[in-house]
Amino acid sequence: MGYDDVISMLGDFGRYQKRIYFLLCLPAILCAFHKLGNVFLIAEPPSRCKLPYELANASYHINDTEMEKWYSFNKTRDKSFHSCLINAPNSTIPQPCDEYIYDLKAYGYTAVIDWNLTCDKAYLIAIGNSLFMFGVMFGSIAFGELSDRWGRKNTFFLSLVMQVVFGVVASVAPEFWTFTIARAVVGATTSGVFLVAYVIGLEMVGSSKRMIAGTVCQIFFSVGYMLTAVFAIYIPNWRSLQFALTIPGLVFLTYWWLIPESARWLISNNRLEEAKKNIQVAARCNKVQIPDKTLDELLRPSSDSPRKVAGEKQPNILDIFKYPRLRKRSLIIFFDWFANNITYYGLSWNTNNLGGNPYLNFVISGAVEIPAYAFLIFTLNRWGRKNIMSGCMITAGTALLLTMIVPQDLQWLNITLAMIGKLAITASYGAVYVFSTEQFPTVVRNAGLGAGSMCARVGSVTAPYVNIMTHIWKPLPLLIFGALAFIGGLMSLTLPETLNRKLPESFEEGESFGKRTKEAASTLEGVKLETIANNQGNGVESELLKLKPDDV
């Protein structure tokens, strides 16, 4: 007995759930603004040294004669001038720039221009992006724990208020570190806003609709992804852009009167009267009747529900390493989380380095996510989790590795391969949530998912440092992302399929999970061959060929 029984009476996805679910999906757009905003807030435009006789507002472009006179050239690469060195008078050694002239036509007035985050300070851009994702990682832990203890709704609004306050602080920050710390706090709040809203939405939806509901919520994030570029095009000053990306959060404060607390959470915390009120509101909206007596019966704790025994040691994620097969599978899953996350965010933040129009590249990078999620909806329960995730990771890796052989003058082909990689890794990233959850035994399933998510955050924290390797060799970041995705896809082929399989409950079942199927397949093949040999021509062959390993 429990809330799942109530859902079956309310309807898996009735009118009430659809309305609340739609409202809860909208904050995903806001979180996309913040997660992808750094692509334009701290974009590094082309720059050159300011010449001694030039004014601060001098044009970025300069005639060839002056170039040859004042600038050192990169003769080892493309023979363009070195933007960080200048040939000072009476000196035979090029000197670092004192001041810079930036190309304002590239991205407008960014924080890089405000604080000269270029040349020997360019590493600060990677630090800013990395600390933002560290904030996301911290927020997923802190706000996740808080939502379980304090409630989904309260945590959502605490996160939202903090997001607005620190978003405004970032827009008026006087120097880089204030901006970076404020943005890191905003990153933490995206977990509190998006993930908590996501959980509330899924907790009120029936099990048959959860995969679709979870995927559609991600599509709203992709819409916010694309809208970020639209904001950046029309708001060329980074301070105004940061402010504009933050202020829509005020609209969601009205949710206090529109969004209920999760009835599932209320029940788990024994706040049954509040839960019953929420359920009855939903029932009236869905035009169904659930008598209070029926609710009392459905929400009554089952007498045979598992209870913790005092002094009994509870399983934890480290216990999986005691079992060889389970350990191997878990390490592959953790690597998959890392590879998916570093590739996804690496590609999302790397659009400025692909060539062509950076705004168009960014919009395309967000747009390809929508067919990726639609692909998951139609195939994940048909073709199997392993086939989808492994196939998509291998496809992404292959597309990104092919950029190594694309000539620099074929920018369109380079962008096309990068977008194919982005589409495939987005689909893989969606599949890894489902596939990895089903791989772990029930006793540590949540802990396993949390450990995988932690590995994912390590990937997103690392991604900015990979992206700055364009200064070493422009295709290098895509090659690293491609190699990681390709390796992860190949290793995942060794994992057992989980579609339509009874999931493991204990460590022992987890250790044997998948092994039984292989043995059954081998046994079935032997039975088929032997029986067909003994029953030639009597029609048994066609019936045997229909059998599956689970039928043995």
Side-chain angles (χ1 to χ4, degrees), residues 281-524:
V281 170
R284 285 193 294 271
C285 186
N286 288 351
K287 297 182 179 180
V288 299
Q289 291 186 351
I290 307 178
D292 285 342
K293 184 177 180 180
T294 302
L295 270 183
D296 291 337
E297 180 67 24
L298 289 175
L299 300 181
R300 187 177 63 191
S302 175
S303 60
D304 59 351
S305 59
R307 294 184 175 89
K308 292 183 179 179
V309 178
E312 181 182 4
K313 182 180 179 297
Q314 297 301 314
N316 63 71
I317 192 63
L318 295 179
D319 291 334
I320 64 173
F321 294 99
K322 299 177 182 177
Y323 301 86
R325 289 171 53 81
L326 193 55
R327 177 174 64 241
K328 175 185 173 182
R329 294 206 308 269
S330 299
L331 290 175
I332 292 174
I333 291 168
F334 295 154
F335 181 84
D336 286 340
W337 276 94
F338 171 81
N340 273 280
N341 212 262
I342 192 174
T343 305
Y344 176 84
Y345 280 104
L347 291 175
S348 298
W349 291 331
N350 196 51
T351 52
N352 292 344
N353 298 320
L354 294 177
N357 188 319
Y359 297 101
L360 180 60
N361 291 347
F362 190 85
V363 170
I364 295 173
S365 181
V368 298
E369 293 190 359
I370 295 177
Y373 290 128
F375 172 77
L376 284 182
I377 291 174
F378 290 108
T379 63
L380 201 58
N381 285 339
R382 295 182 180 183
W383 297 355
R385 282 77 155 111
K386 181 172 74 171
N387 293 335
I388 297 299
M389 192 185 78
S390 298
C392 287
M393 291 186 77
I394 291 172
T395 300
T398 302
L400 297 176
L401 289 172
L402 285 175
T403 60
M404 178 175 55
I405 61 175
V406 175
Q408 291 188 357
D409 57 335
L410 294 179
Q411 286 185 348
W412 67 270
L413 182 55
N414 194 50
I415 293 172
T416 299
L417 289 172
M419 293 305 119
I420 291 173
K422 180 63 186 302
L423 187 154
I425 206 66
T426 299
S428 171
Y429 198 6
V432 74
Y433 275 91
V434 179
F435 191 41
S436 60
T437 300
E438 295 173 343
Q439 290 285 338
F440 291 106
T442 300
V443 289
V444 288
R445 185 161 292 136
N446 284 337
L449 190 61
S453 182
M454 180 68 70
C455 293
R457 302 309 168 198
V458 173
S460 57
V461 168
T462 308
Y465 297 105
V466 177
N467 275 337
I468 63 173
M469 292 182 183
T470 52
H471 293 286
I472 301 173
W473 185 34
K474 193 169 182 178
L476 187 56
L478 295 183
L479 300 185
I480 293 175
F481 299 143
L484 290 172
F486 191 83
I487 292 170
L490 288 180
M491 291 196 302
S492 298
L493 292 173
T494 65
L495 297 174
E497 179 57 74
T498 60
L499 179 63
N500 298 327
R501 304 293 184 193
K502 181 182 180 299
L503 301 186
E505 299 288 341
S506 64
F507 287 114
E508 290 72 19
E509 290 183 8
E511 177 68 7
S512 61
F513 185 64
K515 183 178 180 181
R516 188 178 305 158
T517 300
K518 292 180 181 179
E519 292 174 348
S522 178
T523 302
L524 176 62

Side-chain angles (χ1 to χ4, degrees), residues 34-36 38 126-140 180 183-185 187-188 190-191 341 344-345 349 429 456-464:
H34 292 299
K35 280 195 172 184
L36 282 306
N38 272 2
I127 289 178
N129 284 322
S130 183
L131 288 178
F132 178 87
M133 293 311 300
F134 182 82
V136 174
M137 177 174 69
F138 176 80
S140 64
T180 300
R183 285 281 299 165
V185 175
T190 60
S191 297
N341 212 262
Y344 176 84
Y345 280 104
W349 291 331
Y429 198 6
R457 302 309 168 198
V458 173
S460 57
V461 168
T462 308

Side-chain angles (χ1 to χ4, degrees), residues 106-121:
Y107 307 105
Y109 190 79
T110 71
V112 169
I113 299 174
D114 218 351
W115 300 314
N116 283 324
L117 306 179
T118 191
C119 294
D120 60 339
K121 291 184 179 180

Side-chain angles (χ1 to χ4, degrees), residues 22-32 156 163 193-194 197 252 255:
F22 174 75
L23 292 175
L24 290 169
C25 284
L26 292 177
I29 297 175
L30 180 66
C31 291
F156 174 84
Q163 190 173 95
V193 173
F194 175 69
F252 296 110
Y255 277 19

Side-chain angles (χ1 to χ4, degrees), residues 73-84 408 468-474:
F73 283 77
N74 295 325
K75 296 180 180 179
T76 58
R77 292 196 289 178
D78 55 3
K79 298 184 179 180
S80 61
F81 70 89
H82 199 302
S83 60
C84 299
Q408 291 188 357
I468 63 173
M469 292 182 183
T470 52
H471 293 286
I472 301 173
W473 185 34
K474 193 169 182 178

